[in-house]
Amino acid sequence: TEISGGRIGFWNLGSRRLRGELEGHQGGVTGVAFGPTGKRLLSGSVDQTAKIWDLTGSHKAITLKGHRDIIYAVAFRPDGQQVATGSMDGTVRLWRTADGKREQVLETEGKGIWAIAYSRDGKRIAAGGYSNRVDVWDVRSGVLLNRCQSSQGNIFDSVVFGAEGKIVVAGDFNGRLIGWDVENGREQFNIKGHGRKVTGLDFSPDGTRLASSSWDGSIKLWETSRWQAVTTLQEHPGRVTSVSFSRDGQWLSSTGNRRVVVRRIKSSR
């Protein structure tokens, strides 16, 4: 989490104590993502750079430069060998984790990007923002595979691939969750899920549940077989800004209003 003035703090969940701080950004931190082993951290900032931090000892960082506007979206590829950054300059940039070399620049016709996500196999990446659609690319070639259009003029603040990579879901500024078939770009569902914008989305590891968070202060769990909300959580005093499942699907974490909440989730079976 950002502590203040571009400083990042990381915490021990068991003791709830601050383990360390990372300093280096020249402006506020807008997003962070852990690598798959937990030994690296990716951060984006209003200073138009991203950093890949080594958490094993030295806390040294590789700085990623090239964006021409604020970076709001960051993600690690599931194998940890590549990272992605999305910016208000309308581009998604893919970088090699080991040395920060830029590998691809993916264009979205100049529209600002709020959210990016890799598919679980790491072969595809999706981005959403001001463009009234979610773009899906092939990671290796950089070829645009589909533009998943919305008919309602949506601005998207969150995006995630389904467990098998066959569906991509985005949450918009109006509280709607929209899902598309990745192969043909056709809309599969369009749900009014929250009273304000949807800030975070994550599928459970087995794909049976989707978690969504919102500025309306709620977190919802959706049963994906029917796309029906089965649980609503109100544990933050204000806006909720992100939500994610643990890798075993037993825990759900969320952030908002300078608070991190971690709770055990009952099995869907």
Side-chain angles (χ1 to χ4, degrees):
T1 60
E2 184 184 33
I3 298 174
S4 65
R7 292 163 53 226
I8 301 167
F10 54 101
W11 309 78
N12 184 298
L13 289 180
S15 65
R16 300 183 182 180
R17 292 182 178 178
L18 185 68
R19 287 184 55 188
E21 297 181 18
L22 307 173
E23 295 187 52
H25 282 296
Q26 302 304 306
V29 176
T30 54
V32 295
F34 278 103
T37 66
K39 296 180 179 179
R40 287 190 173 102
L41 183 78
L42 175 65
S43 60
S45 172
V46 299
D47 66 12
Q48 303 180 21
T49 72
K51 291 181 182 291
I52 305 170
W53 302 88
D54 179 359
L55 301 181
T56 59
S58 66
H59 294 172
K60 291 182 179 180
I62 298 172
T63 300
L64 310 178
K65 296 180 179 181
H67 282 294
R68 301 180 304 279
D69 208 330
I70 298 171
I71 297 170
Y72 276 116
V74 296
F76 266 92
R77 197 169 70 187
D79 65 3
Q81 300 303 304
Q82 185 183 76
V83 299
T85 54
S87 168
M88 287 294 106
D89 66 11
T91 67
V92 175
R93 294 173 186 248
L94 309 182
W95 318 78
R96 192 163 61 197
T97 304
D99 57 9
K101 180 182 178 182
R102 191 182 68 200
E103 296 185 316
Q104 296 278 2
V105 178
L106 311 175
E107 301 281 349
T108 61
E109 298 181 349
K111 302 292 185 179
I113 296 169
W114 284 99
I116 55 177
Y118 283 98
S119 59
R120 291 192 180 179
D121 62 9
K123 294 181 179 179
R124 294 175 176 178
I125 191 167
Y130 284 115
S131 59
N132 188 34
R133 65 173 187 265
V134 171
D135 291 345
V136 180
W137 295 270
D138 177 83
V139 168
R140 184 173 182 179
S141 66
V143 171
L144 181 66
L145 300 176
N146 239 316
R147 281 182 167 156
C148 303
Q149 295 284 155
S150 167
S151 60
Q152 298 183 334
N154 307 72
I155 299 172
F156 295 108
D157 193 51
S158 51
V159 65
V160 66
F161 281 92
E164 297 180 355
K166 296 180 180 180
I167 192 170
V168 63
V169 181
D172 77 1
F173 273 39
N174 298 317
R176 305 197 73 85
L177 281 70
I178 304 172
W180 297 269
D181 185 305
V182 172
E183 297 301 327
N184 58 34
R186 293 176 183 169
E187 190 173 289
Q188 301 298 297
F189 62 85
N190 190 321
I191 306 166
K192 178 64 173 178
H194 290 277
R196 299 184 68 182
K197 77 172 180 174
V198 181
T199 56
L201 294 168
D202 197 25
F203 278 92
S204 62
D206 63 6
T208 61
R209 291 172 293 178
L210 174 70
S212 62
S213 62
S214 171
W215 269 15
D216 67 9
S218 72
I219 296 164
K220 292 190 177 185
L221 295 179
W222 303 82
E223 188 178 282
T224 59
S225 62
R226 299 176 295 165
W227 296 112
Q228 181 176 347
V230 294
T231 303
T232 300
L233 304 171
Q234 299 273 173
E235 297 174 337
H236 288 271
R239 298 172 178 177
V240 187
T241 53
S242 70
V243 65
S244 61
F245 280 97
S246 61
R247 291 177 187 171
D248 61 9
Q250 296 184 23
W251 300 86
L252 191 73
S253 64
S254 58
T255 61
N257 199 32
R258 302 182 67 83
R259 175 184 293 184
V260 179
V261 177
V262 182
R263 82 280 291 162
R264 185 180 289 275
I265 298 297
K266 294 180 180 180
S267 172
S268 60
R269 296 179 181 178

